[in-house]
Amino acid sequence: MLSPCHDIFRHCPNCQSATITLIDGARFYCTDCQFTYFHNTATAVAAIIVVDDEILLTKRGNAPGKGQLDLPGGFVDHGESLEQALSREILEELDIHIENWQYFTSQPNQYLYKNINYHTCDTIFVATLAHKPILKLQKNEIAGAEFWPLHQVPSGKIAFASLRAAVEQFIAQTAR
């Protein structure tokens, strides 16, 4: 798998020299001007939305993991807090307003998209709702959504290991 910048940095963004090289999978260094570009981990957010003893799982409409289960969420845009990003993603994907997020956990992840492997830090939040909301799915992102009883969640069918681990941790903590 290629680094996200493998094909982008053929020349130093500072001096345009062709001497820029990938050092450790995350840093590019130019021997001509000593410029270092750090390709940092992308930040992503996901929601465990709880109603009674059920959680909402979505069905991915796109690769990676197309057709598999997922938690709603997405990438954090520049200038957003984690909570703002999650509220925006939930509004875009499900057409519901949630702002009372409680931090739950974070997990490292790898997001393979069009043969480029993006390293992410997935931050998972929980929101408990009094009743099931009416969902209006963003069809170009979400192929379906369903509330699952905690004891029936098919965690093995969740697309990403990071979110699978978070859901399993949530279920284990809730069972106590």
Side-chain angles (χ1 to χ4, degrees), residues 2 16 36 60 70 81-82 87 95 115 141 144 147 150 167:
L2 299 176
Q16 304 307 310
T36 302
R60 293 188 58 79
D70 200 2
S81 70
L82 299 171
S87 292
D95 197 33
N115 294 321
E141 295 281 332
F147 278 90
L150 290 174
V167 167

Side-chain angles (χ1 to χ4, degrees), residues 1 71 105 151:
M1 286 183 267
L71 293 175
T105 192
H151 66 278

Side-chain angles (χ1 to χ4, degrees), residues 26-69:
R27 289 185 301 148
F28 288 83
Y29 180 73
C30 177
T31 56
D32 285 350
C33 72
Q34 289 74 50
F35 175 79
T36 302
Y37 171 79
F38 296 89
H39 188 72
N40 295 319
T41 298
T43 307
V45 288
I48 296 175
I49 299 173
V50 181
V51 176
D52 297 324
D53 70 338
E54 297 181 339
I55 65 170
L56 180 67
L57 295 176
T58 59
K59 186 175 183 181
R60 293 188 58 79
N62 297 313
K66 183 176 181 175
Q68 293 180 292
L69 296 177

Side-chain angles (χ1 to χ4, degrees), residues 1 64 108-113 117-120 122 160-162:
M1 286 183 267
N109 190 25
Q110 293 186 37
Y111 190 87
L112 183 62
Y113 181 69
N117 189 32
Y118 295 90
H119 292 267
T120 67
D122 296 347
F160 303 106
S162 59

Side-chain angles (χ1 to χ4, degrees), residues 100-115:
N100 59 330
W101 301 111
Q102 296 297 313
Y103 171 81
F104 180 65
T105 192
S106 64
Q107 296 280 337
N109 190 25
Q110 293 186 37
Y111 190 87
L112 183 62
Y113 181 69
K114 294 188 178 185
N115 294 321

